[in-house]
Amino acid sequence: MVAFLDPHMRAAVSRLEQPLRAMAKYHFRWVDAEGTPCPVVASTRRRYGSLFLLAAGGGEQAWEQARNAAAAGTLLLASVAVHDDIIDEEPVRNGRPTVHAVFGVPAALYLGNALVGLASELLAEEPAHLAGQLGRRLAVVVREIANCQVLDVRFGGSYAVTLQEALAVSAAKIAPGTEFACAAGALCAGASPEQVEAAAEVGSEFGKAWALWDELEEYAPGDPAAAADRLADLRQRRIVPSVAYALQSRGPAREKLLAYFHDTAAPDSAGLLQARDLVEECGALTWLRERVDAHLARALHRLPDAVGDPVARAEFASCLRSWTLS
């Protein structure tokens, strides 16, 4: 699926004028900061684009119908990532400097806007009966994610954030996009309205699982020297669902974690790792895994209503499982 989608992505990005084109190519990891080509690597972007294709059915003939929408959705996801890195003041994404760290904040902001415009441009080229539906769904995603980002900034490190509020913000960062991906794939394949809505539910539930799985992955053991990058939410003292769950628990681990969140000093690697262990002692990582599994189960339960072909459905289910278990 990666090889199938990448040429279309590159063709879409080539429509951008310079220097936006060079910035987009850097974000997609096709080139380095100097413009030298880079080897293709696995990324969240490729997983997201695959959702459109899987929802369209099995095989390249079915995928061809959804390739343009998949490229548009991937461009939207890139826009969100670029803006999110600015808001979170993240200097690194996936092991290398973020777009704003290399090209500056103003340029990165405009790149994000341009990517949304390019996504809309691609969808407008679909047949008229599809362009309107896909365009409206894309607009809803943009609106919902923007609202989520405002809430995320407003909540900041406030200890008044409830677990339900933290879960809602976590879900809204990914679920609208994955819901759009699955619904768009089904629409492009000519699915019935009932199948499209079932696909949307599959995408929504999987997006909620994916968001929590990403959070769970931050806590995975790794190089202590890279703790500042790996444990970004803890470093910034953000009240994400795992932290909200831990802070509503009882016991000495909770009190120590609360003290960490009240501290204003920048944490070192040892402090971050200790905070990570405290979150685990409060039972939050076990709870996260259970939440991921519950959302995934709901997505798989709706999958037969979304994808009729048993072979395509089995491939779709296998991917959903592997993406939240790897």
Side-chain angles (χ1 to χ4, degrees):
M1 281 182 277
V2 173
F4 182 81
L5 185 57
D6 260 18
H8 200 64
M9 282 295 305
R10 292 174 187 264
V13 167
S14 71
R15 301 187 189 190
L16 295 172
E17 295 80 6
Q18 295 289 17
L20 289 173
R21 188 191 316 149
M23 294 169 61
K25 291 169 72 175
Y26 174 81
H27 175 76
F28 287 123
R29 305 179 75 90
W30 296 330
V31 300
D32 62 19
E34 286 71 44
T36 304
C38 296
V40 175
V41 297
S43 72
T44 297
R45 170 177 65 84
R46 288 167 172 79
R47 182 186 304 170
Y48 179 66
S50 297
L51 283 176
F52 291 81
L53 307 182
L54 290 165
E60 292 192 8
Q61 185 173 355
W63 295 350
E64 182 62 43
Q65 301 174 88
R67 180 156 60 172
N68 200 46
T74 304
L75 291 166
L76 173 64
L77 184 72
S79 168
V80 173
V82 169
H83 285 169
D84 199 38
D85 286 340
I86 295 171
I87 293 168
D88 293 343
E89 299 180 348
E90 286 292 349
V92 175
R93 173 177 284 269
N94 296 327
R96 72 173 187 169
T98 50
V99 171
H100 72 87
V102 175
F103 300 99
V105 170
L109 285 170
Y110 283 118
L111 173 64
N113 293 343
L115 292 173
V116 174
L118 183 55
S120 298
E121 182 181 337
L122 290 183
L123 294 184
E125 294 169 0
E126 291 287 340
H129 71 283
L130 273 179
Q133 295 184 70
L134 293 172
R136 281 192 294 274
R137 285 181 180 268
L138 183 78
V140 170
V141 175
V142 172
R143 171 165 53 80
E144 289 181 346
I145 290 179
N147 189 65
C148 160
Q149 295 287 26
V150 171
L151 290 174
D152 196 24
V153 172
R154 182 177 296 175
F155 289 161
S158 170
Y159 311 120
V161 177
T162 68
L163 178 57
Q164 290 306 311
E165 288 171 331
L167 282 169
V169 169
S170 170
K173 287 184 176 182
I174 297 182
T178 52
E179 178 179 334
F180 168 68
C182 293
L187 277 168
C188 291
S192 69
E194 293 77 18
Q195 286 176 307
V196 171
E197 290 314 305
E201 289 184 39
V202 170
S204 179
E205 289 295 334
F206 174 67
K208 294 169 186 175
W210 188 357
L212 296 177
W213 179 84
D214 272 354
E215 187 177 334
L216 189 61
E217 281 290 283
E218 286 193 17
Y219 293 105
D223 181 3
D229 292 334
R230 193 174 73 253
L231 298 169
D233 287 327
L234 274 181
R235 172 171 51 81
Q236 295 181 354
R237 295 184 170 91
R238 300 171 69 85
I239 309 299
V240 294
S242 56
V243 170
Y245 180 90
L247 291 179
Q248 74 171 15
S249 66
R250 297 180 182 274
R254 184 262 184 191
E255 298 307 316
K256 292 177 183 177
L257 185 64
L258 186 60
Y260 168 81
F261 272 82
H262 278 300
D263 192 352
T264 58
D268 57 16
S269 294
L272 277 172
L273 292 173
Q274 182 182 36
R276 179 243 177 253
D277 291 343
L278 291 171
V279 171
E280 184 170 18
E281 285 181 43
C282 292
L285 303 193
T286 299
W287 170 81
L288 268 181
R289 181 72 256 177
E290 291 170 351
R291 295 279 306 195
V292 169
D293 291 343
H295 286 301
L296 179 60
R298 285 194 282 271
L300 294 173
H301 177 73
R302 286 293 275 149
L303 193 54
D305 298 322
V307 180
D309 178 62
V311 175
R313 186 167 65 243
E315 182 179 13
F316 201 163
S318 176
C319 287
L320 294 185
R321 290 190 183 97
S322 67
W323 290 338
T324 53
L325 293 174
S326 57

